[in-house]
Amino acid sequence: MIILNLNYILNIVITLFLIGVLGLVLNRKNILITLMSIELMLLAINLNFVVFSIYLDDITGYIFVLFILTIAAAESAIGLAILTIYYRLKNTIRIDKIKNIKS
Amino acid sequence: MIVNLFFYFFSFVLITSSLMTVFSQNSIYSVLFLVLSFVSSSSILFLLECEYVSLIFIIIYVGAIAVLFLFVVMMLDIKTISLVKDSLKYFPFGSFIGIAFLIEILLVVPSTFEAINPYNISFLCNFHLDWFNKLDYFTEIMSVGHLLYTDYLIQFLLSGNILLLATIGPVTLVLIRSIKTTKKQITFKQLSRTYNSVLYI
């Protein structure tokens, strides 16, 4: 059994979420890193739900984790499909080269 | 106490690999660091004794999402260009936002959860032996199923519909519509042929 302070886990989760936000803001390379940092933010939210579900002894947090996982999988699949089409049309996925989405 | 050491180790690996995901130059390395952060977060959940969610994390995140990312990175064939000068242009703004949020939340979190537990400062926080759990055993996946199929039934069906949308949507997006393989007879063109333009053999 793990014996740990709650604040330590919460600080780790918040740091993970803010790394995701930092990746969204600082990223100038390509859209793949953007999607990955969105995944990191969703992972931090999931960890937060699980930690509070254990701390408060309530199983409802697990259900929300399952729904967030569903949304994350759908979002990454559709985002990567759009990315593939864009690469096929414009032959680049640099963020600063994207001027219009409509081809 | 060795479990606590494992927890510190895996949280360090989680933070480091997520930082490397954001800041690495090559996209394939960043996908692999994303996989490492998923695995380390899943092992943190193992240490917190919620096995179902951690196994679901490994199956969905590593097995589906990270493999999808890796497939797209391999397919797109992106050149690795170092963009240090270009990314340093936006560094003060982004670091200002990040540090401001970090300081705000790190100030808010200890003050909010301080009053709940009187043993907050000590290391043996929130430790008790649950005798009800010892006597009446009820597995985790059973309780998740009980709750998911009764109270959250409509949300469960909606998430199934979202997955159906995520299955059909990329297929219709990626399909190439320009290739016509079937040959059709155009009736107007057929009927508007004149006698003069017919080729005699």
Side-chain angles (χ1 to χ4, degrees), chain A residues 5 8 29 36 60 62 87, chain B residues 8 24 50 76 120 140 152:
Chain A
N5 204 342
Y8 176 71
K29 272 183 293 184
M36 278 178 218
T60 315
Y62 289 178
Y87 184 77
Chain B
Y8 291 143
S24 76
C50 43
L76 288 189
N120 202 5
E140 183 184 0
Y152 293 91

Side-chain angles (χ1 to χ4, degrees), chain B residues 18 30 34 39 48 53 68 70 77 87 101 103 105 112 136 138-139 162 180 189 191:
Chain B
S18 56
S30 120
L34 192 70
V39 169
L48 291 174
V53 176
L68 206 65
L70 205 62
D77 191 20
S87 70
F101 270 103
I103 288 172
I105 295 173
T112 309
D136 191 8
F138 196 60
T139 58
I162 288 171
K180 285 181 181 175
K189 210 171 176 181
L191 289 178

Side-chain angles (χ1 to χ4, degrees), chain B residues 31-76:
Chain B
V31 173
L32 293 177
F33 275 117
L34 192 70
V35 170
L36 183 61
S37 70
F38 286 157
V39 169
S40 61
S41 73
S42 154
S43 53
I44 280 177
L45 291 182
F46 256 115
L47 290 178
L48 291 174
E49 295 183 2
C50 43
E51 298 89 16
Y52 174 67
V53 176
S54 69
L55 287 175
I56 282 292
F57 264 40
I58 285 185
I59 290 169
I60 293 178
Y61 271 135
V62 180
I65 295 176
V67 170
L68 206 65
F69 272 111
L70 205 62
F71 181 69
V72 169
V73 169
M74 297 284 183
M75 197 171 66
L76 288 189

